[in-house]
Amino acid sequence: MYLERLLIVQAFDPATLVLSLAWHPSPKRATEVAVSLSDGNVALLDYAKNPSIQVVKEVHALEAWTVSWSSLSSLSDECVLYSGGDDSGLRTFLPEQLRSDVACNDGDTESASSAIAPLFNTKIHSAGVTAILSLKLAGHSTQETVLTGSYDEYIRVLAPSPKGVWKVLAERRLGGGVWRLKQIPGLEKSGMSSPTQSTFHILASCMHAGARVLQICRTDHDTWSINVLYKFEEHESMNYGSDVTILQDQDEGKNPLIMVVSTSFYDRRLCLWMIPSFSNISNTSDITLKSIT
């Protein structure tokens, strides 16, 4: 199977780097993608419109490392967008802040700029915000929580606010800058005693500390915990990217077969390793895993 290139657009100045991208989760807006840029800006591209490019300028004072849509965006055409920057800032873009009356086409770098400043928070993180992951809460179709990773080595569970005032629900230091967060699919659990209890399993790429497998839990009293179940530390350089696939679905109480691929930068290393189990282990296991040989 070969990939076919459909479109290439010089959307920004050649000196500007595209640092992250996120496809819109709504099927009705599947041609739209948000990108974060090295000049601190955030842009929205719609490749179905020739393409159209809308740039929200002066979002971050330094590099905009990451951008992520709300997990609730798939429920309607109205959307919330989050971005994190090297200025320790976490931005919230409400739907009205992403609308523009000006359509800029054909890769025009003088793109539309939002007239309404996005909500800004710099009081939570002590270093650059490098990862954002929105999670939909069990029993709440219109409520989410947001995980963030930072150069300050912490992962945080945050409660977003329409006014930009975020509440820290839990945090844990992982020993390295938390560069990327990936939810392990198909393992979400709701509490048996209450529909508001939730458990999420997260794969974290933690730069010089390697990879971590986390269990994040919420009780019906809205208290949160972050536990390190497994760690992988065979990389000799920065672990910037990891991904996971489930080779065997969880069936009739059996443990799923989960394989992880993790990568590192300077040593150009790619590692394959397995997550053995999520059942019958202590919340403070912190077990070191080995690569497949």
Side-chain angles (χ1 to χ4, degrees):
M1 179 182 294
Y2 295 93
L3 298 178
E4 179 183 357
R5 188 176 70 187
L6 300 178
L7 182 67
I8 182 169
V9 177
Q10 184 64 56
F12 313 105
D13 186 284
T16 299
L17 302 179
V18 176
L19 299 178
S20 73
L21 58 85
W23 290 103
H24 198 290
S26 172
K28 295 181 179 180
R29 301 178 63 176
T31 60
E32 297 181 28
V33 60
V35 299
S36 62
L37 305 172
S38 61
D39 59 8
N41 294 334
V42 168
L44 301 177
L45 288 78
D46 190 340
Y47 72 82
K49 298 179 180 179
N50 294 323
S52 69
I53 304 169
Q54 177 189 349
V55 177
V56 186
K57 298 181 179 179
E58 300 179 358
V59 175
H60 294 279
L62 299 170
E63 293 92 337
W65 288 122
T66 188
V67 67
S68 178
W69 294 101
S70 163
S71 61
L72 306 179
S73 299
S74 59
L75 301 178
S76 69
D77 291 339
E78 295 296 313
C79 54
V80 174
L81 182 68
Y82 304 116
S83 71
D86 206 47
D87 54 2
S88 305
L90 179 63
R91 290 278 191 179
T92 304
F93 302 83
L94 301 178
E96 58 268 24
Q97 295 163 335
L98 297 175
R99 300 190 190 105
S100 173
D101 296 329
V102 182
C104 298
N105 302 312
D106 301 324
D108 183 4
T109 56
E110 296 298 324
S111 305
S113 178
S114 173
I116 307 175
L119 302 173
F120 196 38
N121 189 299
T122 58
K123 297 181 179 180
I124 294 175
H125 306 86
S126 60
V129 180
T130 51
I132 302 172
L133 178 62
S134 172
L135 300 173
K136 192 182 301 183
L137 297 181
H140 294 275
S141 60
T142 59
Q143 186 177 349
E144 65 174 340
T145 191
V146 174
L147 307 182
T148 61
S150 172
Y151 278 135
D152 65 12
E153 302 188 355
Y154 279 86
I155 181 174
R156 293 177 173 88
V157 182
L158 304 178
S161 165
K163 298 182 179 180
V165 181
W166 294 64
K167 179 182 179 182
V168 180
L169 303 174
E171 61 182 3
R172 179 157 182 166
R173 190 173 185 178
L174 298 183
V178 185
W179 184 256
R180 286 293 180 264
L181 298 169
K182 170 80 174 183
Q183 183 177 1
I184 301 176
L187 300 179
E188 305 86 353
K189 293 182 179 180
S190 298
M192 297 298 292
S193 59
S194 171
T196 60
Q197 295 179 358
S198 300
T199 299
F200 304 96
H201 293 91
I202 305 297
L203 175 62
S205 300
C206 298
M207 299 179 68
H208 65 270
R212 299 288 188 269
V213 178
L214 312 173
Q215 184 181 70
I216 298 179
C217 300
R218 176 196 187 223
T219 70
D220 52 2
H221 300 293
D222 204 27
T223 58
W224 289 81
S225 63
I226 304 172
N227 302 304
V228 178
L229 302 184
Y230 299 105
K231 57 186 179 181
F232 182 83
E233 299 179 329
E234 291 187 17
H235 291 285
E236 298 177 358
S237 178
M238 300 291 191
N239 169 218
Y240 279 127
S242 306
D243 206 349
V244 61
T245 184
I246 298 180
L247 303 178
Q248 174 183 302
D249 292 335
Q250 194 168 5
D251 183 30
E252 297 180 358
K254 296 181 180 179
N255 292 323
L257 187 61
I258 303 174
M259 178 175 286
V260 179
V261 57
S262 56
T263 61
S264 45
F265 188 54
Y266 294 107
D267 59 353
R268 300 184 295 277
R269 177 173 293 188
L270 183 149
C271 296
L272 290 175
W273 42 285
M274 304 293 295
I275 299 176
S277 173
F278 284 116
S279 61
N280 300 321
I281 62 173
S282 167
N283 286 340
T284 57
S285 295
D286 203 10
I287 300 170
T288 299
L289 301 179
K290 299 295 183 181
S291 59
I292 300 171
T293 56

Short mmCIF file of all heavy atoms in Angstrom, two decimals, residues 88-111:
data_model
loop_
_atom_site.label_atom_id
_atom_site.label_comp_id
_atom_site.label_asym_id
_atom_site.label_seq_id
_atom_site.Cartn_x
_atom_site.Cartn_y
_atom_site.Cartn_z
N SER A 88 4.93 29.19 29.09
CA SER A 88 4.19 28.59 30.22
C SER A 88 2.70 28.84 30.12
O SER A 88 1.98 28.57 31.09
CB SER A 88 4.72 29.10 31.57
OG SER A 88 6.10 28.90 31.70
N GLY A 89 2.24 29.33 29.00
CA GLY A 89 0.84 29.70 28.84
C GLY A 89 -0.03 28.57 28.31
O GLY A 89 0.39 27.77 27.48
N LEU A 90 -1.24 28.53 28.82
CA LEU A 90 -2.29 27.64 28.34
C LEU A 90 -3.43 28.51 27.84
O LEU A 90 -4.04 29.26 28.61
CB LEU A 90 -2.77 26.72 29.47
CG LEU A 90 -3.89 25.73 29.15
CD1 LEU A 90 -3.45 24.74 28.09
CD2 LEU A 90 -4.32 24.99 30.42
N ARG A 91 -3.71 28.42 26.54
CA ARG A 91 -4.74 29.25 25.91
C ARG A 91 -6.01 28.45 25.67
O ARG A 91 -5.96 27.27 25.32
CB ARG A 91 -4.25 29.79 24.57
CG ARG A 91 -3.15 30.84 24.66
CD ARG A 91 -3.72 32.21 24.95
NE ARG A 91 -2.71 33.26 24.77
CZ ARG A 91 -2.93 34.55 24.94
NH1 ARG A 91 -4.13 34.97 25.28
NH2 ARG A 91 -1.97 35.44 24.77
N THR A 92 -7.14 29.13 25.82
CA THR A 92 -8.45 28.57 25.51
C THR A 92 -9.10 29.43 24.44
O THR A 92 -9.27 30.64 24.63
CB THR A 92 -9.35 28.53 26.76
OG1 THR A 92 -8.71 27.81 27.80
CG2 THR A 92 -10.69 27.87 26.42
N PHE A 93 -9.48 28.82 23.33
CA PHE A 93 -10.17 29.52 22.25
C PHE A 93 -11.63 29.07 22.24
O PHE A 93 -11.94 27.92 21.94
CB PHE A 93 -9.55 29.18 20.88
CG PHE A 93 -8.09 29.51 20.77
CD1 PHE A 93 -7.14 28.61 21.23
CD2 PHE A 93 -7.67 30.68 20.18
CE1 PHE A 93 -5.79 28.88 21.12
CE2 PHE A 93 -6.32 30.97 20.06
CZ PHE A 93 -5.38 30.07 20.53
N LEU A 94 -12.53 29.98 22.60
CA LEU A 94 -13.95 29.69 22.52
C LEU A 94 -14.43 29.80 21.08
O LEU A 94 -13.74 30.40 20.23
CB LEU A 94 -14.72 30.66 23.42
CG LEU A 94 -14.33 30.62 24.91
CD1 LEU A 94 -15.11 31.67 25.69
CD2 LEU A 94 -14.52 29.24 25.50
N PRO A 95 -15.59 29.22 20.75
CA PRO A 95 -16.04 29.22 19.35
C PRO A 95 -16.07 30.59 18.70
O PRO A 95 -15.66 30.75 17.55
CB PRO A 95 -17.45 28.61 19.44
CG PRO A 95 -17.38 27.71 20.63
CD PRO A 95 -16.48 28.41 21.61
N GLU A 96 -16.52 31.61 19.44
CA GLU A 96 -16.61 32.94 18.84
C GLU A 96 -15.23 33.53 18.56
O GLU A 96 -15.08 34.44 17.74
CB GLU A 96 -17.40 33.89 19.75
CG GLU A 96 -16.84 34.04 21.15
CD GLU A 96 -17.44 33.06 22.13
OE1 GLU A 96 -17.93 31.99 21.69
OE2 GLU A 96 -17.43 33.36 23.35
N GLN A 97 -14.21 33.02 19.23
CA GLN A 97 -12.85 33.50 19.01
C GLN A 97 -12.20 32.83 17.80
O GLN A 97 -11.12 33.23 17.37
CB GLN A 97 -12.01 33.25 20.26
CG GLN A 97 -12.49 34.05 21.46
CD GLN A 97 -11.95 33.51 22.76
OE1 GLN A 97 -11.60 32.36 22.88
NE2 GLN A 97 -11.88 34.38 23.76
N LEU A 98 -12.84 31.80 17.27
CA LEU A 98 -12.30 31.10 16.10
C LEU A 98 -13.04 31.45 14.82
O LEU A 98 -12.70 30.98 13.76
CB LEU A 98 -12.38 29.58 16.32
CG LEU A 98 -11.55 29.04 17.49
CD1 LEU A 98 -11.82 27.56 17.68
CD2 LEU A 98 -10.08 29.29 17.26
N ARG A 99 -14.07 32.29 14.94
CA ARG A 99 -14.80 32.72 13.76
C ARG A 99 -14.12 33.92 13.15
O ARG A 99 -13.57 34.77 13.85
CB ARG A 99 -16.24 33.07 14.10
CG ARG A 99 -17.04 31.92 14.69
CD ARG A 99 -18.51 32.27 14.76
NE ARG A 99 -19.25 31.29 15.55
CZ ARG A 99 -19.69 31.49 16.78
NH1 ARG A 99 -19.46 32.65 17.37
NH2 ARG A 99 -20.35 30.56 17.43
N SER A 100 -14.18 34.02 11.83
CA SER A 100 -13.60 35.17 11.14
C SER A 100 -14.48 35.52 9.96
O SER A 100 -15.02 34.67 9.28
CB SER A 100 -12.18 34.85 10.65
OG SER A 100 -11.71 35.91 9.86
N ASP A 101 -14.65 36.81 9.73
CA ASP A 101 -15.43 37.27 8.59
C ASP A 101 -14.59 37.34 7.31
O ASP A 101 -15.10 37.62 6.24
CB ASP A 101 -16.01 38.66 8.86
CG ASP A 101 -17.00 38.63 10.01
OD1 ASP A 101 -17.65 37.59 10.19
OD2 ASP A 101 -17.11 39.66 10.72
N VAL A 102 -13.28 37.11 7.45
CA VAL A 102 -12.38 37.21 6.31
C VAL A 102 -11.88 35.82 5.93
O VAL A 102 -11.38 35.10 6.77
CB VAL A 102 -11.18 38.12 6.63
CG1 VAL A 102 -10.27 38.24 5.41
CG2 VAL A 102 -11.66 39.49 7.08
N ALA A 103 -12.03 35.42 4.71
CA ALA A 103 -11.53 34.15 4.20
C ALA A 103 -10.28 34.41 3.39
O ALA A 103 -10.29 35.19 2.45
CB ALA A 103 -12.58 33.46 3.32
N CYS A 104 -9.19 33.76 3.78
CA CYS A 104 -7.92 33.93 3.08
C CYS A 104 -7.56 32.62 2.41
O CYS A 104 -7.44 31.60 3.07
CB CYS A 104 -6.83 34.34 4.06
SG CYS A 104 -7.17 35.91 4.88
N ASN A 105 -7.40 32.64 1.10
CA ASN A 105 -7.21 31.43 0.33
C ASN A 105 -5.84 31.38 -0.33
O ASN A 105 -5.06 32.31 -0.28
CB ASN A 105 -8.31 31.32 -0.74
CG ASN A 105 -9.70 31.32 -0.13
OD1 ASN A 105 -9.94 30.58 0.81
ND2 ASN A 105 -10.58 32.16 -0.64
N ASP A 106 -5.60 30.24 -0.97
CA ASP A 106 -4.40 30.02 -1.79
C ASP A 106 -3.12 30.23 -1.00
O ASP A 106 -2.11 30.73 -1.51
CB ASP A 106 -4.41 30.97 -3.00
CG ASP A 106 -5.64 30.73 -3.87
OD1 ASP A 106 -6.04 29.57 -3.99
OD2 ASP A 106 -6.17 31.71 -4.41
N GLY A 107 -3.12 29.84 0.28
CA GLY A 107 -1.91 29.90 1.07
C GLY A 107 -1.44 31.29 1.39
O GLY A 107 -0.26 31.51 1.65
N ASP A 108 -2.31 32.28 1.38
CA ASP A 108 -1.94 33.66 1.69
C ASP A 108 -1.44 33.75 3.12
O ASP A 108 -2.14 33.42 4.08
CB ASP A 108 -3.19 34.55 1.52
CG ASP A 108 -2.89 36.03 1.76
OD1 ASP A 108 -1.71 36.37 1.98
OD2 ASP A 108 -3.84 36.82 1.71
N THR A 109 -0.19 34.20 3.29
CA THR A 109 0.38 34.27 4.63
C THR A 109 -0.16 35.44 5.43
O THR A 109 0.00 35.50 6.63
CB THR A 109 1.91 34.37 4.55
OG1 THR A 109 2.26 35.50 3.74
CG2 THR A 109 2.50 33.12 3.93
N GLU A 110 -0.79 36.41 4.77
CA GLU A 110 -1.44 37.51 5.49
C GLU A 110 -2.86 37.08 5.82
O GLU A 110 -3.83 37.62 5.30
CB GLU A 110 -1.43 38.79 4.63
CG GLU A 110 -0.05 39.31 4.34
CD GLU A 110 0.70 39.70 5.61
OE1 GLU A 110 0.04 40.21 6.55
OE2 GLU A 110 1.92 39.50 5.67
N SER A 111 -2.97 36.10 6.70
CA SER A 111 -4.25 35.46 6.96
C SER A 111 -5.06 36.23 7.98
O SER A 111 -4.58 37.15 8.62
CB SER A 111 -4.03 34.02 7.44
OG SER A 111 -3.26 33.31 6.51
#
